[in-house]
C-alpha cells in the first residue's frame, strides 16, 4: 500500500481489551478488537474504513489518536511516532489531529453553549481568546452552514444535522490537518447525510484536509473516499482505490457488502450474496481466514492457513487476503 506524500502511516496496529475474572481481576482472555491493521493515508486524501458493526473500525480511529491505548504497532503522523510522544508533545500534535464523533448529540456538552463548545479548544490551546475567539467561532459556524446568531444557543435547540455541523466546527477550531470521521452521518436522516458528506468534501478542498472516514455504509463511502479499506473481525481484508474496489471487489466479504447496497431502480437486479451464520467472537477467532465460516467461496485451505494480503487483478494497489480470488 504505497502512496506519495503519506501524512499518516499505520503499521501492524493491535488493540486488545482484557476480560478480567476472579478476585484479583486477572486477564482470563483478550478481545482482539484490532488485530494487526496497516494502512497509509496521503496528504489531502480520504481513506474509507468500512465493515460490519463490531469489526473494530472505531477502535482503529481512537487508537491512532491515542484516545484509547493501543496494545502494539506504530502510528506515524508527518514522520512522528505518535505512541512515542510525551503528554506535552501529544498536546501539540492534537492541534493537527481531530475527530468527529458518531453521535451528534451525545458528543456535545448539553450545559455549554455552541459558542463555548466550538471555542473551548481555542482557549485551551491558547489560539484565541476574548473578541478574537468570538470572531473565529462565528467564522467557523458560517463555514459549516450555521449562523453567528447560534453561538448562545444550546445543543438541544438544534436538529441532528445541525448538531453534527457544530461537531464539525469544533473539529476545525484548531485548523487541523487530519480528521477521523467516526461514522459522522450514520445517526442522521438520509436526506441530511448527503448534505454533511458534501460539506466534508467542500471543507477538504478548501482547507486541504486529510480524512479517515469510518462507516458501515459502502454507498456513502464510495462518494467521499479516494481509497477504501475493508475490515472484518479486527483485520483489513481488502484495500484498493475506491473506483477499483467497487468495480472489481477482490474479497468475498466485500462482494457480500456491495451486493447489499440498495439500488435506486426497483427493476434492476443484483446477485445477492447472503452471509451465513454470525460474526465470530473476537475473543476466539476461527483458525485460518477469519471469514471462512461465513464465506460462500471457501475451500479447505481457508480453514487452515491465514491468507496474506496479495495483489488482485492488474492494479498494484489492489490488495486482498483471499486464497480463492485472483
Amino acid at each position: 500500500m504505497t502512496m506519495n506524500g503519506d501524512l499518516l502511516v499505520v503499521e501492524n496496529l493491535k488493540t486488545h481489551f482484557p476480560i478480567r475474572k476472579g478476585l484479583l481481576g486477572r486477564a482470563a482472555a483478550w478481545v482482539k478488537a484490532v488485530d494487526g491493521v496497516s494502512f497509509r493515508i496521503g496528504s489531502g486524501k480520504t481513506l474509507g474504513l468500512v465493515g460490519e458493526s463490531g469489526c473494530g473500525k472505531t477502535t482503529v480511529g481512537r487508537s491512532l489518536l491515542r484516545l484509547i491505548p493501543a496494545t502494539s504497532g506504530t502510528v506515524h503522523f508527518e514522520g512522528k511516532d505518535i505512541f512515542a510522544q510525551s503528554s506535552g508533545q501529544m498536546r501539540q500534535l492534537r492541534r493537527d489531529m481531530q475527530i468527529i464523533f458518531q453521535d451528534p448529540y451525545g458528543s456535545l456538552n448539553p450545559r455549554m453553549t455552541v459558542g463555548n463548545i466550538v471555542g473551548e479548544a481555542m482557549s485551551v490551546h491558547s489560539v484565541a481568546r476574548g473578541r478574537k475567539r468570538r470572531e473565529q467561532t462565528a467564522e467557523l459556524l458560517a463555514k459549516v452552514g450555521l449562523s453567528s446568531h447560534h453561538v448562545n444557543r444550546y445543543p438541544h435547540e438544534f436538529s441532528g444535522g445541525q448538531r453534527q455541523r457544530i461537531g464539525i466546527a469544533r473539529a476545525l477550531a484548531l485548523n487541523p490537518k487530519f480528521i477521523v470521521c467516526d461514522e459522522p452521518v450514520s445517526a442522521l436522516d438520509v436526506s441530511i447525510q448527503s448534505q454533511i458528506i458534501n460539506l466534508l468534501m467542500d471543507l477538504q478542498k478548501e482547507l486541504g484536509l486529510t480524512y479517515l472516514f469510518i462507516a458501515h455504509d459502502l454507498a456513502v463511502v464510495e462518494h467521499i473516499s479516494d481509497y477504501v479499506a475493508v475490515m472484518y473481525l479486527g483485520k483489513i481484508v481488502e484495500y484498493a482505490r475506491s473506483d477499483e474496489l467497487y468495480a472489481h471487489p477482490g474479497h468475498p466479504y466485500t462482494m457480500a457488502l456491495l451486493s447489499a447496497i440498495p439500488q435506486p431502480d426497483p427493476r434492476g437486479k443484483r446477485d445477492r450474496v447472503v452471509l451465513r451464520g454470525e460474526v465470530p467472537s473476537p475473543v476466539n477467532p476461527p483458525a485460518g481466514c477469519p471469514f471462512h465460516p461465513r464465506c460462500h467461496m471457501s475451500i479447505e485451505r481457508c480453514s487452515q492457513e491465514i491468507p496474506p494480503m496479495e495483489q488482485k487483478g492488474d492494479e498494484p494497489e489492489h490488495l486482498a487476503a483471499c486464497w480463492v480470488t485472483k
Side-chain angles (χ1 to χ4, degrees):
M1 297 182 226
T2 58
M3 300 182 195
N4 295 325
D6 293 328
L7 182 76
L8 185 81
V9 180
V10 178
E11 295 181 343
N12 200 29
L13 178 66
K14 296 183 180 181
T15 303
H16 298 171
F17 299 103
I19 299 176
R20 302 190 184 278
K21 293 184 179 180
L23 293 175
L24 299 178
R26 292 175 178 171
W30 294 86
V31 177
K32 299 176 181 179
V34 178
D35 196 27
V37 165
S38 301
F39 58 83
R40 299 165 180 260
I41 309 180
S43 181
K45 300 295 184 180
T46 298
L47 172 66
L49 188 60
V50 302
E52 291 174 288
S53 296
C55 71
K57 308 183 300 296
T58 292
T59 305
V60 168
R62 299 193 180 195
S63 295
L64 64 87
L65 293 178
R66 275 179 56 175
L67 295 180
I68 56 177
T71 302
S72 63
T74 60
V75 176
H76 286 86
F77 178 77
E78 292 188 318
K80 299 176 182 177
D81 186 350
I82 295 297
F83 298 156
Q85 303 297 304
S86 66
S87 58
Q89 292 170 325
M90 198 63 207
R91 179 185 174 93
Q92 291 298 316
L93 275 177
R94 291 200 186 282
R95 295 177 60 170
D96 292 327
M97 306 174 71
Q98 292 292 313
I99 184 170
I100 300 169
F101 295 98
Q102 176 180 358
D103 186 353
Y105 188 76
S107 62
L108 304 178
N109 189 334
R111 296 179 180 275
M112 294 176 66
T113 64
V114 169
N116 287 330
I117 290 172
V118 176
E120 182 181 30
M122 300 180 196
S123 298
V124 170
H125 288 268
S126 301
V127 173
R129 297 181 185 277
R131 181 179 178 181
K132 184 179 179 181
R133 173 181 143 167
R134 290 192 296 272
E135 290 175 350
Q136 291 188 10
T137 298
E139 291 174 4
L140 283 171
L141 291 176
K143 195 180 292 290
V144 299
L146 296 175
S147 170
S148 59
H149 299 299
H150 292 145
V151 292
N152 293 320
R153 295 186 183 180
Y154 291 85
H156 72 271
E157 300 180 67
F158 295 88
S159 66
Q162 289 175 319
R163 289 196 290 263
Q164 196 59 290
R165 290 175 187 269
I166 296 168
I168 294 172
R170 177 177 59 184
L172 296 175
L174 298 177
N175 193 26
K177 299 176 182 177
F178 171 69
I179 298 178
V180 173
C181 304
D182 184 12
E183 302 207 37
V185 298
S186 64
L188 305 177
D189 293 338
V190 175
S191 59
I192 306 300
Q193 288 183 6
S194 59
Q195 297 178 19
I196 299 300
I197 293 295
N198 289 333
L199 171 62
L200 289 170
M201 294 177 69
D202 291 342
L203 291 171
Q204 184 175 44
K205 292 179 182 178
E206 179 183 350
L207 303 175
L209 298 169
T210 303
Y211 293 145
L212 173 63
F213 191 90
I214 299 170
H216 61 265
D217 187 338
L218 270 77
V220 171
V221 171
E222 181 181 17
H223 187 60
I224 193 173
S225 300
D226 299 293
Y227 291 81
V228 176
V230 181
M231 277 192 75
Y232 184 79
L233 208 64
K235 298 179 181 291
I236 289 179
V237 297
E238 185 165 7
Y239 171 93
R241 281 198 342 264
S242 179
D243 55 348
E244 169 69 14
L245 183 135
Y246 283 83
H248 308 288
H251 194 280
Y253 179 57
T254 309
M255 298 174 191
L257 293 178
L258 290 175
S259 75
I261 297 176
Q263 288 186 293
D265 185 357
R267 295 168 297 181
K269 291 186 178 180
R270 176 183 289 158
D271 293 333
R272 182 79 162 87
V273 179
V274 180
L275 298 180
R276 59 194 185 207
E278 300 293 333
V279 179
S281 169
V283 177
N284 186 26
C289 173
F291 184 61
H292 87 264
R294 307 177 69 198
C295 182
H296 65 290
M297 299 172 64
S298 63
I299 58 177
E300 185 177 354
R301 187 181 187 184
C302 299
S303 63
Q304 300 170 350
E305 302 177 50
I306 300 176
M309 290 286 282
E310 297 179 327
Q311 180 179 337
K312 301 296 180 181
D314 300 325
E315 177 61 52
E317 289 187 309
H318 189 173
L319 307 175
C322 183
W323 292 121
V324 181
T325 57
K326 303 297 183 181

